[in-house]
Amino acid sequence: MRQRHVFGTVFTLESAVAGLVFLVVLGLLARAVIKRRTQASDRTERPRVEACYVAALAAFAVFLVAWTAWQNSREHHTTAVRPLRVDVTGFQWCWTFAYPQSPAHRQVTGDCHGQPLPTLVVPTGRPVQLRLTSRDVIHSLWVPDLRYKMDAFPRHVNTFTLTLDHTGRWRGRCAEFCGQRHYAMDFWIKAVPPEQYERWAHGTVAAV
């Protein structure tokens, strides 16, 4: 998945930079302690050295912020393809996925009690805009394997766009404690080929 690649790239680089800074600071600290024990110094401040430290740390911080913003812009790049809209509603204790653009006005829901769990069906290779809200309390839609998570608030709509580049099925769950059966508030997100999605959206097949 593209978003997983972006997350892995950013996380790897930030971890490497953090590790490098830690080792440099640790080395300078050890050098200062050893030097302090072996030779006396009447200087308590070194403004130029301290300024270099601050400048280096500031440069690292600016680089990381710029790099992360660039990677995020790559993930959420604009596209000429019209996104598929899915209205997602969380409630105690399950989900409803409504497809207002579907000719058959598809809607998937359940009670998240036993099987089958509700499935968010999306086509591969097409941006999908999820419009997320809640019917009662705060919920949070989370798909761990895809690195997507967003809160669902009552009387408010949060929006994000995802694009899945190959078929598959991934488990999602609620990441916000929302009451007695929060633990069971799971769902599936399933990516299918565009032709298969179109048949499902038009109501010619009951399920995919």
Side-chain angles (χ1 to χ4, degrees), residues 71-200:
Q71 292 292 331
N72 284 331
S73 68
R74 288 178 59 202
E75 177 182 353
H76 300 290
H77 68 287
T78 57
T79 177
V81 179
R82 183 187 178 193
L84 168 69
R85 173 180 165 183
V86 182
D87 294 336
V88 181
T89 302
F91 60 92
Q92 290 176 315
W93 287 275
C94 206
W95 305 91
T96 295
F97 307 118
Y99 297 76
Q101 299 170 336
S102 165
H105 300 287
R106 280 287 194 177
Q107 178 170 298
V108 179
T109 191
D111 60 10
C112 294
H113 186 68
Q115 297 292 338
L117 294 173
T119 299
L120 170 59
V121 181
V122 300
T124 58
R126 180 178 175 182
V128 179
Q129 182 189 74
L130 301 184
R131 294 172 53 84
L132 190 60
T133 189
S134 170
R135 189 189 303 171
D136 35 52
V137 300
I138 298 175
H139 301 283
S140 185
L141 182 141
W142 180 37
V143 186
D145 288 341
L146 300 182
R147 313 294 195 268
Y148 275 115
K149 183 167 80 72
M150 181 166 284
D151 290 342
F153 297 96
R155 300 177 299 279
H156 178 78
V157 176
N158 279 335
T159 302
F160 71 93
T161 302
L162 59 84
T163 304
L164 303 182
D165 54 19
H166 67 267
T167 60
R169 190 175 76 153
W170 302 269
R171 188 126 181 178
R173 50 181 43 98
C174 178
E176 182 76 23
F177 180 70
C178 55
Q180 182 182 9
R181 291 189 52 240
H182 158 74
Y183 69 92
M185 196 170 163
D186 290 359
F187 64 95
W188 292 107
I189 177 171
K190 185 175 183 179
V192 299
E195 313 79 40
Q196 188 176 355
Y197 172 80
E198 287 300 324
R199 291 196 298 270
W200 177 81

